[in-house]
Amino acid sequence: MIVEIVLKNEPELELEGYEKIELPNGTVFASPVEKRVEIVLKKHRDGMVSLFTDKSEIIKSVIRLGEIVDIHVK
C-alpha cells in the first residue's frame, strides 16, 4: 500500500543506501541494489510537499522531521 504524506515544508531527508535523483518538481530515492524507486518527494506550487512511500521506517522518520498536513492511502 502506498501512503502519501502531505507536509507543510520539504523535510531534510538524508537516507543511506538510496540513490538520490533530483527532478525539476521533486526528488526520487531509488534502491541501487533492487533498481526500483522506493520514495518520491513531490513539490507543490504552494510550498507543501507530498511524500509517497510504502516503507514504515521512512514514515517514522518523516513524522519527526516535518509538520504533517494530511495523509492519503493509494
Short mmCIF file of all heavy atoms in Angstrom, two decimals:
data_model
loop_
_atom_site.label_atom_id
_atom_site.label_comp_id
_atom_site.label_asym_id
_atom_site.label_seq_id
_atom_site.Cartn_x
_atom_site.Cartn_y
_atom_site.Cartn_z
N MET A 1 0.85 -1.17 0.00
CA MET A 1 0.00 0.00 0.00
C MET A 1 0.90 1.23 0.00
O MET A 1 1.81 1.34 0.81
CB MET A 1 -0.89 -0.04 1.25
CG MET A 1 -1.68 1.19 1.46
SD MET A 1 -2.74 1.13 2.94
CE MET A 1 -3.41 -0.49 2.93
N ILE A 2 0.64 2.15 -0.88
CA ILE A 2 1.40 3.40 -0.96
C ILE A 2 0.70 4.45 -0.11
O ILE A 2 -0.51 4.62 -0.19
CB ILE A 2 1.50 3.90 -2.42
CG1 ILE A 2 2.17 2.87 -3.30
CG2 ILE A 2 2.22 5.25 -2.47
CD1 ILE A 2 3.62 2.62 -2.99
N VAL A 3 1.48 5.15 0.70
CA VAL A 3 0.96 6.21 1.55
C VAL A 3 1.50 7.54 1.02
O VAL A 3 2.69 7.66 0.72
CB VAL A 3 1.41 6.00 3.01
CG1 VAL A 3 0.95 7.13 3.89
CG2 VAL A 3 0.89 4.67 3.53
N GLU A 4 0.61 8.53 0.91
CA GLU A 4 1.02 9.89 0.57
C GLU A 4 0.91 10.72 1.84
O GLU A 4 -0.17 10.81 2.44
CB GLU A 4 0.13 10.50 -0.51
CG GLU A 4 0.47 11.96 -0.77
CD GLU A 4 -0.54 12.67 -1.67
OE1 GLU A 4 -1.58 12.08 -1.99
OE2 GLU A 4 -0.26 13.81 -2.04
N ILE A 5 2.01 11.29 2.25
CA ILE A 5 2.03 12.18 3.41
C ILE A 5 2.27 13.59 2.89
O ILE A 5 3.29 13.84 2.23
CB ILE A 5 3.12 11.78 4.41
CG1 ILE A 5 2.86 10.36 4.91
CG2 ILE A 5 3.19 12.77 5.57
CD1 ILE A 5 3.95 9.80 5.77
N VAL A 6 1.35 14.50 3.15
CA VAL A 6 1.48 15.89 2.72
C VAL A 6 2.11 16.66 3.88
O VAL A 6 1.59 16.65 5.00
CB VAL A 6 0.12 16.49 2.33
CG1 VAL A 6 0.29 17.92 1.84
CG2 VAL A 6 -0.57 15.64 1.26
N LEU A 7 3.23 17.32 3.58
CA LEU A 7 3.98 18.07 4.60
C LEU A 7 3.94 19.55 4.29
O LEU A 7 3.89 19.97 3.12
CB LEU A 7 5.43 17.60 4.61
CG LEU A 7 5.63 16.13 4.93
CD1 LEU A 7 6.95 15.64 4.39
CD2 LEU A 7 5.54 15.91 6.42
N LYS A 8 3.98 20.36 5.35
CA LYS A 8 3.94 21.81 5.19
C LYS A 8 5.18 22.32 4.47
O LYS A 8 5.11 23.24 3.66
CB LYS A 8 3.81 22.47 6.55
CG LYS A 8 3.48 23.93 6.49
CD LYS A 8 3.11 24.45 7.85
CE LYS A 8 2.58 25.87 7.71
NZ LYS A 8 2.06 26.35 8.98
N ASN A 9 6.35 21.73 4.77
CA ASN A 9 7.61 22.13 4.15
C ASN A 9 8.39 20.88 3.75
O ASN A 9 8.15 19.80 4.27
CB ASN A 9 8.46 22.95 5.13
CG ASN A 9 7.78 24.24 5.53
OD1 ASN A 9 7.36 25.00 4.67
ND2 ASN A 9 7.67 24.48 6.81
N GLU A 10 9.38 21.07 2.91
CA GLU A 10 10.21 19.94 2.47
C GLU A 10 11.13 19.49 3.61
O GLU A 10 11.88 20.30 4.15
CB GLU A 10 11.04 20.33 1.25
CG GLU A 10 11.82 19.20 0.69
CD GLU A 10 12.51 19.54 -0.62
OE1 GLU A 10 12.30 20.64 -1.17
OE2 GLU A 10 13.26 18.68 -1.10
N PRO A 11 11.08 18.21 3.97
CA PRO A 11 11.97 17.72 5.03
C PRO A 11 13.39 17.51 4.52
O PRO A 11 13.60 17.31 3.32
CB PRO A 11 11.33 16.38 5.42
CG PRO A 11 10.68 15.91 4.17
CD PRO A 11 10.19 17.17 3.47
N GLU A 12 14.35 17.58 5.41
CA GLU A 12 15.75 17.31 5.08
C GLU A 12 15.99 15.82 5.22
O GLU A 12 16.33 15.34 6.31
CB GLU A 12 16.67 18.10 6.01
CG GLU A 12 16.63 19.59 5.80
CD GLU A 12 17.18 20.01 4.44
OE1 GLU A 12 18.14 19.37 3.96
OE2 GLU A 12 16.65 20.97 3.87
N LEU A 13 15.79 15.08 4.15
CA LEU A 13 15.98 13.64 4.18
C LEU A 13 17.40 13.28 3.77
O LEU A 13 17.84 13.64 2.68
CB LEU A 13 15.00 12.94 3.23
CG LEU A 13 13.53 12.94 3.63
CD1 LEU A 13 12.72 12.24 2.55
CD2 LEU A 13 13.33 12.25 4.95
N GLU A 14 18.11 12.61 4.63
CA GLU A 14 19.43 12.06 4.33
C GLU A 14 19.33 10.56 4.53
O GLU A 14 19.42 10.06 5.64
CB GLU A 14 20.50 12.67 5.25
CG GLU A 14 20.70 14.15 5.04
CD GLU A 14 21.17 14.51 3.64
OE1 GLU A 14 21.92 13.72 3.03
OE2 GLU A 14 20.76 15.57 3.14
N LEU A 15 19.09 9.85 3.45
CA LEU A 15 18.82 8.41 3.53
C LEU A 15 20.00 7.62 3.00
O LEU A 15 20.35 7.73 1.82
CB LEU A 15 17.56 8.10 2.73
CG LEU A 15 16.31 8.86 3.16
CD1 LEU A 15 15.18 8.62 2.17
CD2 LEU A 15 15.89 8.43 4.54
N GLU A 16 20.59 6.82 3.86
CA GLU A 16 21.70 5.96 3.45
C GLU A 16 21.17 4.76 2.67
O GLU A 16 20.11 4.23 2.97
CB GLU A 16 22.46 5.48 4.67
CG GLU A 16 23.27 6.55 5.34
CD GLU A 16 24.15 5.99 6.45
OE1 GLU A 16 24.68 4.88 6.27
OE2 GLU A 16 24.26 6.66 7.47
N GLY A 17 21.91 4.36 1.67
CA GLY A 17 21.55 3.19 0.90
C GLY A 17 20.61 3.47 -0.26
O GLY A 17 20.19 2.55 -0.95
N TYR A 18 20.27 4.75 -0.47
CA TYR A 18 19.38 5.11 -1.58
C TYR A 18 20.12 6.02 -2.55
O TYR A 18 20.91 6.87 -2.15
CB TYR A 18 18.13 5.84 -1.08
CG TYR A 18 17.18 4.98 -0.31
CD1 TYR A 18 17.17 4.97 1.08
CD2 TYR A 18 16.27 4.16 -0.97
CE1 TYR A 18 16.29 4.17 1.79
CE2 TYR A 18 15.39 3.36 -0.28
CZ TYR A 18 15.40 3.38 1.11
OH TYR A 18 14.53 2.59 1.80
N GLU A 19 19.82 5.87 -3.81
CA GLU A 19 20.33 6.78 -4.84
C GLU A 19 19.35 7.95 -4.93
O GLU A 19 18.15 7.74 -5.10
CB GLU A 19 20.40 6.05 -6.17
CG GLU A 19 20.87 6.90 -7.31
CD GLU A 19 20.84 6.15 -8.64
OE1 GLU A 19 20.37 5.00 -8.69
OE2 GLU A 19 21.29 6.75 -9.63
N LYS A 20 19.84 9.17 -4.79
CA LYS A 20 19.00 10.36 -4.83
C LYS A 20 19.02 10.93 -6.25
O LYS A 20 20.08 11.23 -6.80
CB LYS A 20 19.53 11.40 -3.83
CG LYS A 20 18.67 12.62 -3.70
CD LYS A 20 19.24 13.53 -2.61
CE LYS A 20 18.37 14.73 -2.38
NZ LYS A 20 18.90 15.59 -1.32
N ILE A 21 17.83 11.05 -6.85
CA ILE A 21 17.69 11.57 -8.21
C ILE A 21 16.85 12.85 -8.13
O ILE A 21 15.66 12.80 -7.80
CB ILE A 21 17.01 10.54 -9.13
CG1 ILE A 21 17.79 9.22 -9.12
CG2 ILE A 21 16.89 11.10 -10.55
CD1 ILE A 21 17.04 8.06 -9.73
N GLU A 22 17.49 13.98 -8.41
CA GLU A 22 16.80 15.28 -8.38
C GLU A 22 16.05 15.51 -9.69
O GLU A 22 16.61 15.32 -10.77
CB GLU A 22 17.81 16.41 -8.17
CG GLU A 22 18.53 16.38 -6.84
CD GLU A 22 17.70 16.89 -5.68
OE1 GLU A 22 16.66 17.54 -5.90
OE2 GLU A 22 18.11 16.62 -4.54
N LEU A 23 14.81 15.94 -9.58
CA LEU A 23 13.97 16.27 -10.73
C LEU A 23 13.49 17.71 -10.58
O LEU A 23 13.55 18.26 -9.48
CB LEU A 23 12.78 15.31 -10.80
CG LEU A 23 13.15 13.82 -10.93
CD1 LEU A 23 11.92 12.96 -10.71
CD2 LEU A 23 13.76 13.54 -12.28
N PRO A 24 12.98 18.33 -11.65
CA PRO A 24 12.54 19.72 -11.54
C PRO A 24 11.47 19.97 -10.46
O PRO A 24 11.50 20.99 -9.81
CB PRO A 24 11.99 20.03 -12.93
CG PRO A 24 12.67 19.07 -13.83
CD PRO A 24 12.90 17.83 -13.01
N ASN A 25 10.56 19.02 -10.28
CA ASN A 25 9.46 19.23 -9.32
C ASN A 25 9.51 18.27 -8.15
O ASN A 25 8.48 18.04 -7.50
CB ASN A 25 8.11 19.11 -10.02
CG ASN A 25 7.90 20.22 -11.01
OD1 ASN A 25 8.33 21.35 -10.79
ND2 ASN A 25 7.27 19.92 -12.13
N GLY A 26 10.68 17.69 -7.88
CA GLY A 26 10.74 16.76 -6.77
C GLY A 26 12.02 15.96 -6.76
O GLY A 26 12.97 16.25 -7.49
N THR A 27 12.01 14.93 -5.92
CA THR A 27 13.17 14.07 -5.75
C THR A 27 12.70 12.63 -5.67
O THR A 27 11.67 12.34 -5.07
CB THR A 27 13.92 14.43 -4.45
OG1 THR A 27 14.21 15.82 -4.46
CG2 THR A 27 15.20 13.65 -4.32
N VAL A 28 13.48 11.74 -6.27
CA VAL A 28 13.20 10.31 -6.24
C VAL A 28 14.36 9.63 -5.50
O VAL A 28 15.52 9.97 -5.75
CB VAL A 28 13.07 9.74 -7.67
CG1 VAL A 28 12.94 8.23 -7.64
CG2 VAL A 28 11.89 10.37 -8.39
N PHE A 29 14.04 8.72 -4.60
CA PHE A 29 15.04 7.92 -3.92
C PHE A 29 14.85 6.48 -4.37
O PHE A 29 13.77 5.91 -4.21
CB PHE A 29 14.89 8.01 -2.40
CG PHE A 29 15.18 9.37 -1.85
CD1 PHE A 29 14.19 10.34 -1.75
CD2 PHE A 29 16.46 9.71 -1.44
CE1 PHE A 29 14.46 11.59 -1.24
CE2 PHE A 29 16.74 10.96 -0.93
CZ PHE A 29 15.73 11.91 -0.83
N ALA A 30 15.90 5.90 -4.95
CA ALA A 30 15.82 4.55 -5.51
C ALA A 30 16.82 3.64 -4.82
O ALA A 30 17.88 4.08 -4.37
CB ALA A 30 16.11 4.59 -7.00
N SER A 31 16.48 2.37 -4.78
CA SER A 31 17.38 1.35 -4.25
C SER A 31 18.31 0.93 -5.38
O SER A 31 17.85 0.37 -6.38
CB SER A 31 16.58 0.15 -3.75
OG SER A 31 17.44 -0.93 -3.51
N PRO A 32 19.62 1.17 -5.26
CA PRO A 32 20.53 0.78 -6.33
C PRO A 32 20.66 -0.73 -6.47
O PRO A 32 20.95 -1.22 -7.55
CB PRO A 32 21.86 1.42 -5.93
CG PRO A 32 21.75 1.77 -4.51
CD PRO A 32 20.29 1.86 -4.17
N VAL A 33 20.42 -1.46 -5.40
CA VAL A 33 20.52 -2.92 -5.45
C VAL A 33 19.32 -3.52 -6.17
O VAL A 33 19.46 -4.34 -7.07
CB VAL A 33 20.64 -3.50 -4.02
CG1 VAL A 33 20.61 -5.02 -4.04
CG2 VAL A 33 21.89 -2.99 -3.34
N GLU A 34 18.11 -3.08 -5.77
CA GLU A 34 16.89 -3.62 -6.36
C GLU A 34 16.47 -2.91 -7.64
O GLU A 34 15.56 -3.34 -8.33
CB GLU A 34 15.75 -3.56 -5.34
CG GLU A 34 16.01 -4.42 -4.12
CD GLU A 34 14.87 -4.36 -3.13
OE1 GLU A 34 13.73 -4.06 -3.53
OE2 GLU A 34 15.14 -4.60 -1.95
N LYS A 35 17.11 -1.77 -7.92
CA LYS A 35 16.80 -0.99 -9.12
C LYS A 35 15.33 -0.59 -9.19
O LYS A 35 14.68 -0.70 -10.23
CB LYS A 35 17.20 -1.75 -10.38
CG LYS A 35 18.62 -2.25 -10.38
CD LYS A 35 19.43 -1.50 -11.37
CE LYS A 35 20.79 -2.14 -11.52
NZ LYS A 35 21.83 -1.44 -10.88
N ARG A 36 14.80 -0.12 -8.04
CA ARG A 36 13.41 0.33 -8.02
C ARG A 36 13.27 1.56 -7.13
O ARG A 36 14.01 1.74 -6.18
CB ARG A 36 12.47 -0.78 -7.58
CG ARG A 36 12.77 -1.34 -6.22
CD ARG A 36 11.81 -2.42 -5.84
NE ARG A 36 10.53 -1.78 -5.57
CZ ARG A 36 9.54 -2.34 -4.92
NH1 ARG A 36 9.67 -3.57 -4.49
NH2 ARG A 36 8.43 -1.71 -4.69
N VAL A 37 12.30 2.38 -7.48
CA VAL A 37 12.00 3.59 -6.72
C VAL A 37 11.27 3.20 -5.44
O VAL A 37 10.33 2.41 -5.47
CB VAL A 37 11.16 4.57 -7.56
CG1 VAL A 37 10.67 5.73 -6.73
CG2 VAL A 37 11.94 5.04 -8.76
N GLU A 38 11.70 3.77 -4.32
CA GLU A 38 11.08 3.46 -3.03
C GLU A 38 10.44 4.67 -2.37
O GLU A 38 9.53 4.52 -1.56
CB GLU A 38 12.12 2.83 -2.11
CG GLU A 38 12.78 1.64 -2.76
CD GLU A 38 12.93 0.47 -1.86
OE1 GLU A 38 12.65 0.57 -0.67
OE2 GLU A 38 13.34 -0.59 -2.39
N ILE A 39 10.92 5.88 -2.72
CA ILE A 39 10.40 7.11 -2.10
C ILE A 39 10.33 8.19 -3.17
O ILE A 39 11.27 8.35 -3.96
CB ILE A 39 11.32 7.60 -0.97
CG1 ILE A 39 11.54 6.50 0.05
CG2 ILE A 39 10.76 8.85 -0.30
CD1 ILE A 39 12.80 6.65 0.83
N VAL A 40 9.23 8.94 -3.19
CA VAL A 40 9.09 10.07 -4.10
C VAL A 40 8.68 11.28 -3.28
O VAL A 40 7.74 11.21 -2.48
CB VAL A 40 8.03 9.81 -5.20
CG1 VAL A 40 7.82 11.06 -6.04
CG2 VAL A 40 8.43 8.63 -6.07
N LEU A 41 9.40 12.40 -3.45
CA LEU A 41 9.03 13.69 -2.86
C LEU A 41 8.57 14.59 -4.00
O LEU A 41 9.33 14.85 -4.94
CB LEU A 41 10.23 14.35 -2.19
CG LEU A 41 10.55 13.98 -0.78
CD1 LEU A 41 11.84 14.64 -0.35
CD2 LEU A 41 9.45 14.34 0.16
N LYS A 42 7.33 15.05 -3.94
CA LYS A 42 6.79 15.93 -4.99
C LYS A 42 6.55 17.30 -4.39
O LYS A 42 5.82 17.44 -3.40
CB LYS A 42 5.48 15.36 -5.54
CG LYS A 42 4.87 16.24 -6.59
CD LYS A 42 3.54 15.72 -7.05
CE LYS A 42 2.93 16.69 -8.02
NZ LYS A 42 1.55 16.40 -8.28
N LYS A 43 7.17 18.32 -5.00
CA LYS A 43 7.00 19.70 -4.53
C LYS A 43 5.74 20.30 -5.15
O LYS A 43 5.50 20.17 -6.35
CB LYS A 43 8.20 20.54 -4.93
CG LYS A 43 9.49 20.08 -4.32
CD LYS A 43 10.67 20.88 -4.85
CE LYS A 43 11.97 20.30 -4.36
NZ LYS A 43 13.12 20.98 -4.95
N HIS A 44 4.93 20.97 -4.32
CA HIS A 44 3.73 21.66 -4.78
C HIS A 44 4.03 23.14 -4.95
O HIS A 44 4.94 23.68 -4.32
CB HIS A 44 2.59 21.48 -3.78
CG HIS A 44 2.18 20.05 -3.58
ND1 HIS A 44 1.31 19.40 -4.43
CD2 HIS A 44 2.52 19.15 -2.63
CE1 HIS A 44 1.14 18.16 -4.01
NE2 HIS A 44 1.86 17.98 -2.92
N ARG A 45 3.25 23.81 -5.75
CA ARG A 45 3.45 25.24 -6.00
C ARG A 45 3.26 26.09 -4.75
O ARG A 45 3.84 27.15 -4.63
CB ARG A 45 2.51 25.72 -7.10
CG ARG A 45 2.87 25.15 -8.44
CD ARG A 45 1.98 25.70 -9.51
NE ARG A 45 2.39 25.13 -10.80
CZ ARG A 45 1.59 24.90 -11.79
NH1 ARG A 45 0.31 25.20 -11.69
NH2 ARG A 45 2.04 24.39 -12.90
N ASP A 46 2.43 25.62 -3.82
CA ASP A 46 2.17 26.39 -2.60
C ASP A 46 3.21 26.16 -1.52
O ASP A 46 3.08 26.65 -0.40
CB ASP A 46 0.77 26.06 -2.06
CG ASP A 46 0.59 24.60 -1.72
OD1 ASP A 46 1.57 23.82 -1.81
OD2 ASP A 46 -0.54 24.22 -1.34
N GLY A 47 4.29 25.43 -1.82
CA GLY A 47 5.37 25.20 -0.87
C GLY A 47 5.26 23.89 -0.12
O GLY A 47 6.22 23.46 0.52
N MET A 48 4.10 23.27 -0.17
CA MET A 48 3.95 21.98 0.50
C MET A 48 4.62 20.89 -0.33
O MET A 48 4.96 21.08 -1.49
CB MET A 48 2.48 21.66 0.74
CG MET A 48 1.85 22.53 1.80
SD MET A 48 0.30 21.91 2.40
CE MET A 48 -0.81 22.72 1.27
N VAL A 49 4.80 19.73 0.30
CA VAL A 49 5.47 18.60 -0.33
C VAL A 49 4.69 17.33 -0.05
O VAL A 49 4.21 17.13 1.07
CB VAL A 49 6.91 18.45 0.23
CG1 VAL A 49 7.59 17.24 -0.35
CG2 VAL A 49 7.72 19.69 -0.03
N SER A 50 4.54 16.48 -1.05
CA SER A 50 3.95 15.16 -0.86
C SER A 50 5.06 14.13 -0.88
O SER A 50 5.92 14.15 -1.76
CB SER A 50 2.95 14.83 -1.97
OG SER A 50 1.78 15.59 -1.83
N LEU A 51 5.04 13.24 0.08
CA LEU A 51 5.98 12.13 0.13
C LEU A 51 5.19 10.86 -0.10
O LEU A 51 4.20 10.61 0.60
CB LEU A 51 6.69 12.09 1.48
CG LEU A 51 7.72 10.98 1.60
CD1 LEU A 51 8.96 11.52 2.27
CD2 LEU A 51 7.20 9.79 2.34
N PHE A 52 5.61 10.06 -1.08
CA PHE A 52 4.95 8.80 -1.40
C PHE A 52 5.91 7.66 -1.06
O PHE A 52 7.06 7.66 -1.51
CB PHE A 52 4.62 8.72 -2.89
CG PHE A 52 3.67 9.77 -3.37
CD1 PHE A 52 4.14 11.01 -3.79
CD2 PHE A 52 2.31 9.53 -3.40
CE1 PHE A 52 3.27 11.98 -4.24
CE2 PHE A 52 1.43 10.50 -3.85
CZ PHE A 52 1.91 11.73 -4.26
N THR A 53 5.46 6.69 -0.27
CA THR A 53 6.28 5.53 0.06
C THR A 53 5.40 4.43 0.64
O THR A 53 4.26 4.66 1.00
CB THR A 53 7.40 5.88 1.06
OG1 THR A 53 8.30 4.77 1.16
CG2 THR A 53 6.86 6.24 2.42
N ASP A 54 5.98 3.23 0.73
CA ASP A 54 5.33 2.14 1.44
C ASP A 54 6.26 1.61 2.54
O ASP A 54 6.02 0.57 3.11
CB ASP A 54 4.92 1.02 0.49
CG ASP A 54 6.10 0.34 -0.18
OD1 ASP A 54 7.24 0.86 -0.10
OD2 ASP A 54 5.90 -0.71 -0.80
N LYS A 55 7.31 2.37 2.85
CA LYS A 55 8.31 1.98 3.85
C LYS A 55 7.97 2.61 5.21
O LYS A 55 7.99 3.83 5.36
CB LYS A 55 9.71 2.44 3.43
CG LYS A 55 10.14 1.92 2.09
CD LYS A 55 10.49 0.47 2.23
CE LYS A 55 11.02 -0.08 0.92
NZ LYS A 55 11.19 -1.50 0.97
N SER A 56 7.68 1.76 6.20
CA SER A 56 7.29 2.27 7.52
C SER A 56 8.42 3.03 8.20
O SER A 56 8.16 4.01 8.91
CB SER A 56 6.80 1.13 8.42
OG SER A 56 7.82 0.19 8.64
N GLU A 57 9.67 2.63 8.00
CA GLU A 57 10.78 3.35 8.64
C GLU A 57 10.93 4.77 8.09
O GLU A 57 11.31 5.69 8.81
CB GLU A 57 12.11 2.58 8.52
CG GLU A 57 12.66 2.45 7.12
CD GLU A 57 12.18 1.23 6.36
OE1 GLU A 57 11.26 0.53 6.81
OE2 GLU A 57 12.73 0.96 5.29
N ILE A 58 10.59 4.96 6.82
CA ILE A 58 10.62 6.31 6.23
C ILE A 58 9.49 7.15 6.81
O ILE A 58 9.69 8.31 7.15
CB ILE A 58 10.50 6.23 4.69
CG1 ILE A 58 11.64 5.41 4.08
CG2 ILE A 58 10.44 7.62 4.08
CD1 ILE A 58 13.02 5.91 4.38
N ILE A 59 8.33 6.57 6.94
CA ILE A 59 7.18 7.29 7.52
C ILE A 59 7.51 7.72 8.94
O ILE A 59 7.24 8.86 9.33
CB ILE A 59 5.92 6.42 7.47
CG1 ILE A 59 5.50 6.20 6.00
CG2 ILE A 59 4.78 7.06 8.27
CD1 ILE A 59 4.41 5.17 5.81
N LYS A 60 8.13 6.85 9.73
CA LYS A 60 8.50 7.20 11.11
C LYS A 60 9.49 8.36 11.15
O LYS A 60 9.38 9.25 11.99
CB LYS A 60 9.10 5.99 11.81
CG LYS A 60 8.09 4.92 12.13
CD LYS A 60 8.77 3.71 12.73
CE LYS A 60 7.82 2.56 12.91
NZ LYS A 60 8.49 1.35 13.40
N SER A 61 10.45 8.37 10.24
CA SER A 61 11.43 9.46 10.25
C SER A 61 10.82 10.77 9.77
O SER A 61 11.17 11.84 10.26
CB SER A 61 12.66 9.10 9.42
OG SER A 61 12.33 8.96 8.07
N VAL A 62 9.88 10.72 8.83
CA VAL A 62 9.23 11.93 8.33
C VAL A 62 8.37 12.57 9.42
O VAL A 62 8.29 13.79 9.52
CB VAL A 62 8.39 11.61 7.07
CG1 VAL A 62 7.47 12.76 6.71
CG2 VAL A 62 9.30 11.28 5.91
N ILE A 63 7.76 11.75 10.26
CA ILE A 63 6.94 12.27 11.36
C ILE A 63 7.78 13.18 12.26
O ILE A 63 7.30 14.20 12.74
CB ILE A 63 6.32 11.10 12.16
CG1 ILE A 63 5.26 10.41 11.34
CG2 ILE A 63 5.75 11.59 13.48
CD1 ILE A 63 4.76 9.11 11.93
N ARG A 64 9.05 12.82 12.46
CA ARG A 64 9.93 13.61 13.31
C ARG A 64 10.49 14.84 12.60
O ARG A 64 10.91 15.80 13.25
CB ARG A 64 11.09 12.75 13.81
CG ARG A 64 10.67 11.65 14.76
CD ARG A 64 11.88 10.95 15.35
NE ARG A 64 12.70 10.28 14.34
CZ ARG A 64 12.57 9.03 13.93
NH1 ARG A 64 11.61 8.28 14.47
NH2 ARG A 64 13.35 8.51 13.03
N LEU A 65 10.51 14.83 11.27
CA LEU A 65 11.18 15.89 10.52
C LEU A 65 10.28 17.02 10.05
O LEU A 65 10.76 18.11 9.79
CB LEU A 65 11.87 15.29 9.28
CG LEU A 65 13.03 14.36 9.55
CD1 LEU A 65 13.53 13.76 8.25
CD2 LEU A 65 14.15 15.09 10.26
N GLY A 66 9.00 16.77 9.89
CA GLY A 66 8.15 17.80 9.31
C GLY A 66 6.75 17.85 9.89
O GLY A 66 6.32 16.93 10.58
N GLU A 67 6.07 18.94 9.59
CA GLU A 67 4.69 19.11 10.04
C GLU A 67 3.75 18.50 9.01
O GLU A 67 3.70 18.94 7.85
CB GLU A 67 4.38 20.61 10.20
CG GLU A 67 3.00 20.86 10.73
CD GLU A 67 2.71 22.34 10.89
OE1 GLU A 67 3.66 23.14 11.01
OE2 GLU A 67 1.52 22.69 10.89
N ILE A 68 3.01 17.49 9.42
CA ILE A 68 2.11 16.77 8.53
C ILE A 68 0.79 17.52 8.40
O ILE A 68 0.17 17.87 9.40
CB ILE A 68 1.88 15.33 9.03
CG1 ILE A 68 3.21 14.57 9.00
CG2 ILE A 68 0.84 14.62 8.17
CD1 ILE A 68 3.14 13.20 9.59
N VAL A 69 0.39 17.75 7.16
CA VAL A 69 -0.86 18.46 6.87
C VAL A 69 -1.98 17.47 6.61
O VAL A 69 -3.10 17.66 7.06
CB VAL A 69 -0.68 19.39 5.65
CG1 VAL A 69 -1.99 20.04 5.27
CG2 VAL A 69 0.38 20.44 5.94
N ASP A 70 -1.66 16.38 5.88
CA ASP A 70 -2.69 15.40 5.51
C ASP A 70 -2.01 14.08 5.16
O ASP A 70 -0.80 14.03 4.95
CB ASP A 70 -3.48 15.91 4.30
CG ASP A 70 -4.86 15.32 4.20
OD1 ASP A 70 -5.20 14.39 4.98
OD2 ASP A 70 -5.64 15.77 3.34
N ILE A 71 -2.81 13.03 5.07
CA ILE A 71 -2.32 11.72 4.68
C ILE A 71 -3.37 11.04 3.81
O ILE A 71 -4.57 11.19 4.04
CB ILE A 71 -1.98 10.86 5.93
CG1 ILE A 71 -1.36 9.54 5.50
CG2 ILE A 71 -3.17 10.67 6.82
CD1 ILE A 71 -0.75 8.76 6.66
N HIS A 72 -2.90 10.35 2.77
CA HIS A 72 -3.78 9.65 1.84
C HIS A 72 -3.21 8.27 1.58
O HIS A 72 -2.01 8.08 1.56
CB HIS A 72 -3.88 10.38 0.50
CG HIS A 72 -4.28 11.80 0.61
ND1 HIS A 72 -5.59 12.19 0.73
CD2 HIS A 72 -3.55 12.93 0.62
CE1 HIS A 72 -5.65 13.51 0.82
NE2 HIS A 72 -4.42 13.99 0.75
N VAL A 73 -4.08 7.32 1.36
CA VAL A 73 -3.67 5.96 1.02
C VAL A 73 -3.99 5.71 -0.45
O VAL A 73 -5.09 6.01 -0.90
CB VAL A 73 -4.39 4.94 1.92
CG1 VAL A 73 -3.98 3.53 1.56
CG2 VAL A 73 -4.09 5.22 3.39
N LYS A 74 -3.04 5.20 -1.17
CA LYS A 74 -3.23 4.95 -2.60
C LYS A 74 -3.22 3.46 -2.87
O LYS A 74 -2.50 2.72 -2.30
CB LYS A 74 -2.11 5.60 -3.40
CG LYS A 74 -1.93 7.07 -3.12
CD LYS A 74 -2.71 7.86 -4.07
CE LYS A 74 -2.50 9.35 -3.78
NZ LYS A 74 -3.18 10.20 -4.58
#
